[in-house]
Amino acid sequence: MKRLKFSKEKCIGCQLCAQACSATHDGVFMPSRARIGIESYYDRGGVLKYKDAYCNLCGICFKNCPTGAITMTDKILVDHPTCIGCGTCAAKCPRKVVKIIDKKSYICDTCDGDPMCVKVCPQGALQFV
Amino acid sequence: MLGYQNNVLRVDLSRKECKAEPLNMNWAEKYIGSKGLAIKYLYEELKPGIDPLSSENKLIFMNGPMTGTTVPCSGKLAIAGKSPATGTICDCSIGGHSALNIKYAGYDAIILEGALDKPGYLLIENDKVSFEDASSLWGKGSHDAETALIEQYGHDYSVLSIGPAGETLCTMACINSDYYRQAGRGGMGAVMGSKNLKAIVVRGTGGVKIPNIVEATKRIAEIERENTLLEDNTFVFDFGTTAFLEACQDGGILPKNNFSDATDIDWTKYNGDVLLEHLQGKRGCGSCGLGCGNFLKIGDVVCEGPEYESIAVAGPNAGNSDPVAIVKANQVADNMGLDTISAGDTIIWAMEMTERGVHDFGIRFGEMDKYIEYLELMARKEGVGAELCLGVKKLAKKYGGEDYALEVKGLEYPQYEPRGSWGMSLAYAVSDRGACHMRAYAPNEEVFAASIPPYTAEGKGEMVFRLGQSNAVKFSLCICDFWATLDYEIMAELMTLVTGREWTADDMADVGTRVLNIARAFNQREGFSAKDDTIPRRIVNEALSTGAAAGQKIPMEAFEDMKQQYYAVLGWNADGTLPESLLATL
Amino acid sequence: MKITITLRGTLVKYFNGKRDRQIEVPEGSSAEDALLAAGIDWKAIDSFGFVAINGKRVMITDTLNDGDELKAYSKISGG
């Protein structure tokens, strides 16, 4: 099963991943709703740090969903009519990359096996392997 | 047009009030955004003759229609106002992530008017705007202030801040973002300081809409792969601007000892190979497709950079080959909120003055401990810094040394020697904000190319126009100049995809010309003309001794010829002013 | 005559990652000729920048002397 893989030496902190994700899924360039949130920042100006918020298909959200709204094969899908917006998936996600918006859960679906974030990542920091 | 938020935040600092107003779309159709549109706003809203450090000046932070989209290298922010260093219009292009936070907060621009009665900062979270007290931050370095603010609000906020240099109204003061990105030249930091504004802290969680966004995003990704990621551009990921050092050395345009020569035998001591041994990581701006930032740690000194200009001015041009001192000088200048180019040029001029016995400023070539100490003194206007902060033009008037004071209109010279790239002397002379290398970057064509002769005036008017026109529209989109292979065709396609309005390559060229003209018109109204498009005496009188351009100096007739060629190409009068018919089109 | 060709920037790939190579060229060869002899056709390379002989930038048509170092740069542009 292919998963997203992140190499921080190649990351330039551009956020194109989050922009492309929200454009593809939500019809707007809006990183705050994206299902990926990789960032880099200077901690007190002295150390370059990375927030590697991306889904690596660990399946913890799927295992903990109380309603069965989340299914997992080679990708994760959320059935919104079934989703009650309890937020358990978001709370349990180890990478804090699940978004709860208007009481519905939004989780990376790998763009059906052809991730857009990988396509726009300029230096190949993100791969789908 | 889509892409824009169609929303400008106008802030009256005197009354501590703000209101949102629509973007002037008529002007946007002619000037697009960022550089061009900010200058248009200032041209229309500022009266001629105002004091740039008075509350009458305005400071505009403006992004463009592509900001916040996946168009590569579109994350830069224009910061513009009337320059206290020169009295001309000044626009800077700052990197980092502020442009995106401002756009996602819902604004195409923030226009600052008036002045606070005591030090404060602006806090913006989407449509919530408040005026906060900055008394505990005033006096702090820009980095220290940013650290304090990020600690308070979180690092998903962007912080635009000034250091002590902006607070003391030093005309070399810059505005910082993401610690190590600057709106460097022309004293924009002093304008912010004159408004008693220490920082803007901004977070945006909204979005940007364009037509047919799914298809457009796919096409934009294609353009990124096929064009942005060409080797011509990605060298900045591999090397950053350190790549220019060896090229300028071999090209014979690397300035040495206050521009007295143009090669440095010791260049291998501080070049890219040496600096990049200390690379901790790479960073780019929001939506960047390249990633030029080199985050270095040498000893206990950290810095994203230094960039070519900062390496050259604190390196060979200061008679120094110690890389640690170069990086330390950059770090201190950044924290003080001081333009490395203008501050450095002034210090190295003072070095030459001292060595020649014209006036003792207490510093000689190579004395980097003093160089670094002087940076802080200049920022705080203390000791010898209180004089040095005036810049080479004013200091040379007072003390002599005009023969080696390199500036145009009061803005100190960038680190590309024009005797080795004649067109660059023209580019510096006619640039809208004083001597600037980011308007028409002549070495691209005259030195870093295989077959264009640098030591002639022939064709340079047209060349500087063409290069300047391209950058003028590029910085109005706003796209970073490291996407070097971006041409008018691609610009037009991107503008069409993002705005939903048909744009052609000719439209792009027209906007570029229009932006060149409106910047010139602003300056013309302030009294500038051909007499102010100058060349420093050193460039005319002294020949270089070493390197590819050994023996070269630029005769005044050649320089005047280049100027007249340039004016003719643009349809300006021989005195460098715009005819009425052209002014009416702006 | 013996010439050393040194490649900089992204041109390094034309020597398979090795920065320099020594070649033999006829007397009176130009920089252009020497590059061609080393398998580099500058006109066909989009990202070709400029050349320097013994640390000084020259025109692509300038001639070489025995023992010269010819450096070829990939394009760099910016500010």
Side-chain angles (χ1 to χ4, degrees), chain A residues 6-129:
Chain A
F6 174 62
S7 315
K8 70 177 194 214
E9 336 58 76
K10 298 194 180 161
C11 176
I12 61 172
C14 63
Q15 287 191 304
L16 283 172
C17 47
Q19 294 164 21
C21 175
S22 55
T24 306
H25 287 88
D26 308 306
V28 61
F29 294 105
M30 195 166 160
S32 65
R33 0 180 0 134
R35 303 152 197 228
I36 184 169
I38 296 178
E39 285 172 28
S40 73
Y41 61 96
Y42 289 113
D43 187 13
R44 314 183 118 247
V47 184
L48 184 55
K49 290 197 171 159
Y50 302 85
K51 182 176 134 195
D52 55 355
Y54 66 96
C55 174
N56 66 344
L57 289 168
C58 67
I60 288 177
C61 53
F62 157 65
K63 290 184 190 116
N64 285 276
C65 173
T67 65
I70 301 178
T71 52
M72 178 168 169
T73 52
D74 59 349
K75 55 183 177 283
I76 287 172
L77 291 172
V78 182
D79 180 56
H80 277 166
T82 313
C83 172
I84 58 170
C86 67
T88 306
C89 47
K92 296 277 187 191
C93 174
R95 288 172 183 269
K96 298 273 165 273
V97 79
V98 172
K99 292 263 156 67
I100 306 293
I101 301 169
D102 293 332
K103 286 188 145 324
K104 294 295 172 190
S105 172
Y106 292 83
I107 303 176
C108 171
D109 62 5
T110 75
C111 294
D112 202 23
D114 192 15
M116 200 57 196
C117 53
V118 171
K119 283 201 172 70
V120 296
C121 180
Q123 297 296 338
L126 270 175
Q127 292 177 297
F128 193 57
V129 289

Side-chain angles (χ1 to χ4, degrees), chain A residues 18-20 22-23 26-32, chain B residues 68-71 104 206-210 213 216-217 220 498:
Chain A
Q19 294 164 21
S22 55
D26 308 306
V28 61
F29 294 105
M30 195 166 160
S32 65
Chain B
T69 72
T70 51
V71 171
Y104 292 144
V208 175
K209 282 200 155 87
I210 69 173
I213 191 169
T217 301
I220 292 168
V498 165

